[in-house]
């Protein structure tokens, strides 16, 4: 059986072949991680033309007056088509109404700042008002250093809102993609009623080297990878990208009223 690395190499080579042969259609689901955009993800898992992005209108945030921060965000907005490191909206998956949020690691490595935290909270609140499931695809390097302590406060804020949504009977599904780390992994990313993950995804708080230096021990092989976490009960199921919509539809069907 091929390793995850070998599988990714095969997909990358396949993608190169398709780019060189424009007569053959490219399916977004086979794109390697570096080429797979937030919009590819949305198009792959939602029913055709069903996704309606929320029109959030937030004031510009630069609480620490971090030099160049606002300019950097403006450049990334032009480059990625996202206002921040997450895209959220209402959609249908397999015919079921869903509130969907997808983190965009091409926007400052999907680091979590005030705006991202507020989008997660408002999306959860929307799902609660509409009595529909909440699905979040996570991918992040952690909290956003340019916003200091305010970025860390989003961990508590998002966790509280998500827990309220769940306490009121909402279904929360998380899909952990590569990588899901730092403050995001320590908050809303790991609070799902059902937790899925993509093969080979790095999932954890601190990096392996930091942990090894802290505890003075060698970590097990594959530590913090999706397969290791599934084996130890942290992840419910590993799902390949091309099967994601089918699996989500099955879950939504089983939990539909």
């Amino acid at each position: 059986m091929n390793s995850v690395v070998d599988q990714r190499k095969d997909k990358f080579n396949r993608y190169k072949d398709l780019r060189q042969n424009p007569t053959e259609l490219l399916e977004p689901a086979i794109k390697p991680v570096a080429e797979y955009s937030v919009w590819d993800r949305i198009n792959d898992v939602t029913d055709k033309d069903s996704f309606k992005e929320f029109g959030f209108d937030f004031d510009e945030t630069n609480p620490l007056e971090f030099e160049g921060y606002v300019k950097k965000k403006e450049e990334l907005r032009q480059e990625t088509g996202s206002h921040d490191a997450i895209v959220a909206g209402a959609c249908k998956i397999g015919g079921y109404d869903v509130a969907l949020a997808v983190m965009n690691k091409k926007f400052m490595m999907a680091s979590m700042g005030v705006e991202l935290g507020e989008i997660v909270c408002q999306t959860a609140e929307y799902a609660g008002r509409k009595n529909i499931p909440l699905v979040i695809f996570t991918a992040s390097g952690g909290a956003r250093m340019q916003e200091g302590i305010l970025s860390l406060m989003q961990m508590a804020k998002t966790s509280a809102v998500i827990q309220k949504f769940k306490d009121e009977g909402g279904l929360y599904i998380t899909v952990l993609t590569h990588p899901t780390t730092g403050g995001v992994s320590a908050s809303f990313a790991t609070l799902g009623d059902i937790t899925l993950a993509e093969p080979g995804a790095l999932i954890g708080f601190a990096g392996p080297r930091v942990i090894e230096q802290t505890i003075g021990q060698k970590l097990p092989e594959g530590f913090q990878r999706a397969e290791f976490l599934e084996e130890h009960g942290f992840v419910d199921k590993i799902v390949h990208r091309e099967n994601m919509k089918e699996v989500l539809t099955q879950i939504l069907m089983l939990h539909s009223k």
Side-chain angles (χ1 to χ4, degrees):
M1 183 176 180
N2 289 341
S3 68
V4 172
V5 173
D6 290 335
Q7 292 172 14
R8 285 182 175 167
K9 285 181 179 178
D10 290 342
K11 286 187 177 182
F12 180 73
N13 292 332
R14 171 76 173 140
Y15 180 54
K16 285 201 302 183
D17 292 341
L18 286 168
R19 283 195 301 180
Q20 294 165 4
N21 184 6
T23 61
E24 193 172 354
L25 293 176
L26 171 63
E27 292 294 332
I30 72 160
K31 288 185 181 181
V33 171
E35 301 287 348
Y36 195 63
S37 74
V38 62
W39 301 106
D40 287 333
R41 173 86 62 191
I42 290 169
N43 290 333
D44 273 3
V45 300
T46 62
D47 295 354
K48 186 176 181 181
D49 299 328
S50 71
F51 182 78
K52 307 299 180 187
E53 186 177 359
F54 295 141
F56 296 115
D57 185 19
F58 299 125
D59 293 334
E60 188 60 79
T61 54
N62 189 10
L64 303 185
E65 298 183 359
F66 200 95
E67 185 177 354
Y69 179 41
V70 172
K71 181 180 179 181
K72 178 66 173 177
K73 288 194 291 183
E74 290 172 350
E75 292 172 350
L76 286 169
R77 286 165 185 158
Q78 293 293 323
E79 181 181 330
T80 65
S82 302
H83 195 263
D84 204 86
I86 193 168
V87 176
C91 67
K92 287 184 180 293
I93 298 178
Y96 296 96
D97 290 315
V98 170
L100 174 69
V102 181
M103 298 187 74
N104 187 358
K105 60 190 174 186
K106 294 185 178 180
F107 195 110
M108 301 189 75
M109 199 50 218
S111 51
M112 178 168 60
V114 172
E115 185 169 324
L116 190 150
E118 184 63 20
I119 289 174
V120 170
C121 291
Q122 290 197 26
T123 303
E125 290 168 346
Y126 173 88
R129 289 195 304 273
K130 297 294 185 179
N131 196 24
I132 59 177
L134 171 64
V135 178
I136 300 182
F137 284 80
T138 65
S140 179
R144 188 170 297 177
M145 68 173 190
Q146 290 87 346
E147 297 186 21
I149 189 64
L150 293 179
S151 67
L152 296 176
M153 290 170 62
Q154 304 311 306
M155 295 170 63
K157 176 180 174 179
T158 55
S159 297
V161 172
I162 291 290
Q163 190 60 51
K164 182 174 183 290
F165 169 74
K166 293 169 61 177
D167 288 344
E168 293 174 349
L171 172 64
Y172 177 40
I173 304 169
T174 54
V175 184
L176 312 180
T177 74
H178 180 75
T180 296
T181 59
V184 169
S185 72
S187 57
F188 66 89
T190 49
L191 294 177
D193 296 302
I194 297 173
T195 302
L196 308 178
E198 288 193 329
L202 176 66
I203 303 163
F205 184 65
R209 281 186 295 178
V210 174
I211 297 173
E212 286 183 342
Q213 291 168 3
T214 302
I215 66 175
Q217 296 180 27
K218 185 71 175 173
L219 295 173
E221 185 177 354
F223 182 77
Q224 291 186 321
R225 293 291 173 175
E227 292 77 7
F228 185 91
L229 296 177
E230 182 190 35
E231 181 181 345
H232 290 81
F234 190 84
V235 167
D236 294 309
K237 185 178 179 64
I238 293 176
V239 183
H240 288 268
R241 199 179 294 160
E242 55 267 31
N243 301 325
M244 189 64 69
K245 183 177 181 179
E246 178 184 356
V247 171
L248 287 173
T249 300
Q250 291 173 346
I251 294 171
L252 295 170
M253 178 184 66
L254 289 170
H255 290 82
S256 67
K257 298 178 181 179

